[in-house]
């Protein structure tokens, strides 16, 4: 039986979204991707979207209180409560991790596994510049990509140690092909 309350951790461009979608298919549990939810909010011109738009476009992090609210609402939905979830892009700061751990602790469903995807920085920049040509995301230009990587290293990477202390982290090299990475993740969830 695979773990069903999962966190995919890794820098932008590590393949979190790609692998999350494969896990959705294979395990039948929802992906909870705050980046996608925020982009939808921007497109829908909601209050959250209007607050997040400029911050996202320049590659900074949206404030913890906004992102925590968005993520907690989604985690509280019946499908996530019943079947589990794949967190993709949340938490990204120590404050977000504390809020997540507290919420899941309150309802007695802690994270079961954290997959830490690692990919070499130059590979990431190349991948994201390619994605920018395909998807046209406003934050996929070289300057913003390097800034997002720095923010990842400073704010998000320390969460690997935080979850390592709980004994739930498995490191997976994300530089191989999507099929190969998916295989390694499957092994890490067994
Ligand atoms: P992503 O699609 O995960 O790369 O996220 C795109 C952008 O959305 C990020 O660069 C941030 O501006 C914002 N964002 C997504 N998730 C978070 C989060 N957990 N905390 C803060 N900002 C976030």
């Amino acid at each position: 039986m695979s773990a069903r309350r999962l966190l995919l951790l890794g820098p932008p461009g590590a393949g979190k979204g790609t692998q999350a979608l494969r896990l959705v298919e294979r395990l039948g549990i929802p992906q909870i991707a705050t980046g996608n939810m925020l982009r939808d909010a921007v497109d829908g011109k909601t209050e959250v979207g209007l607050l997040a738009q400029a911050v996202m476009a320049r590659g900074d992090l949206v404030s913890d209180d906004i992102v925590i609210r968005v993520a907690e609402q989604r985690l509280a939905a019946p499908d996530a409560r019943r079947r589990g979830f794949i967190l993709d892009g949340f938490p990204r700061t120590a404050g977000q991790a504390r809020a997540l751990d507290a919420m899941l602790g309150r309802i007695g469903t802690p994270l079961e596994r954290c997959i830490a995807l690692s990919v070499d920085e130059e590979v990431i920049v190349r991948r994201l510049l390619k994605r920018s040509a395909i998807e046209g995301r406003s934050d996929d230009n070289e300057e913003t990509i390097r800034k997002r990587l720095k923010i990842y290293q400073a704010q998000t990477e320390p969460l690997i140690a935080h979850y390592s202390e709980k004994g739930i982290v498995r490191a997976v090299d994300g530089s191989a092909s999507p099929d190969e990475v998916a295989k390694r993740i499957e092994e890490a969830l067994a």
Side-chain angles (χ1 to χ4, degrees):
M1 174 77 178
S2 258
R4 289 181 165 268
R5 291 189 299 276
L6 315 177
L7 165 59
L8 291 180
L9 210 57
K16 299 187 296 296
T18 302
Q19 295 301 327
L21 290 180
R22 288 178 179 235
L23 291 167
V24 167
E25 293 251 307
R26 200 165 61 75
L27 301 175
I29 55 182
Q31 172 197 27
I32 299 184
T34 44
N36 293 347
M37 294 162 80
L38 290 168
R39 274 186 292 279
D40 286 346
V42 170
D43 290 345
K45 298 189 166 47
T46 67
E47 194 189 335
V48 165
L50 293 174
L51 288 169
Q53 185 165 25
V55 181
M56 291 172 74
R58 59 170 194 265
D60 283 325
L61 293 184
V62 174
S63 71
D64 278 359
D65 56 334
I66 292 179
V67 179
I68 289 168
R69 188 152 33 97
V70 166
E72 287 197 340
Q73 265 170 17
R74 183 64 190 87
L75 281 162
D79 61 340
R81 294 285 293 261
R82 207 171 40 241
R83 296 208 298 265
F85 48 79
I86 304 147
L87 283 170
D88 161 5
F90 177 90
R92 263 177 156 95
T93 66
Q96 293 176 21
R98 272 196 304 275
L100 173 70
D101 295 350
M103 179 196 178
L104 295 178
R106 272 197 304 277
I107 55 181
T109 55
L111 282 179
E112 294 173 295
R113 193 62 91 224
C114 167
I115 300 294
L117 283 173
S118 59
V119 180
D120 183 71
E121 175 160 345
E122 292 314 310
V123 176
I124 287 175
V125 175
R126 250 183 285 136
R127 277 188 188 176
L128 291 184
L129 287 174
K130 202 163 125 201
R131 180 170 83 184
S132 119
I134 297 166
E135 296 178 16
R137 268 179 58 163
S138 62
D139 58 351
D140 279 344
N141 57 76
E142 181 154 0
E143 189 191 337
T144 310
I145 290 167
R146 296 215 185 260
K147 181 168 170 190
R148 283 154 62 210
L149 281 170
K150 281 215 171 62
I151 293 175
Y152 172 80
Q153 284 156 6
Q155 309 241 53
T156 311
E157 209 167 54
L159 302 186
I160 297 176
H162 170 78
Y163 287 113
S164 289
E165 281 174 17
K166 300 179 191 294
I168 63 170
V169 174
R170 300 291 180 274
V172 171
D173 178 354
S175 50
S177 70
D179 282 346
E180 179 59 31
V181 175
K183 208 172 102 211
R184 291 177 194 169
I185 291 178
E186 195 167 332
E187 286 162 8
L189 295 182

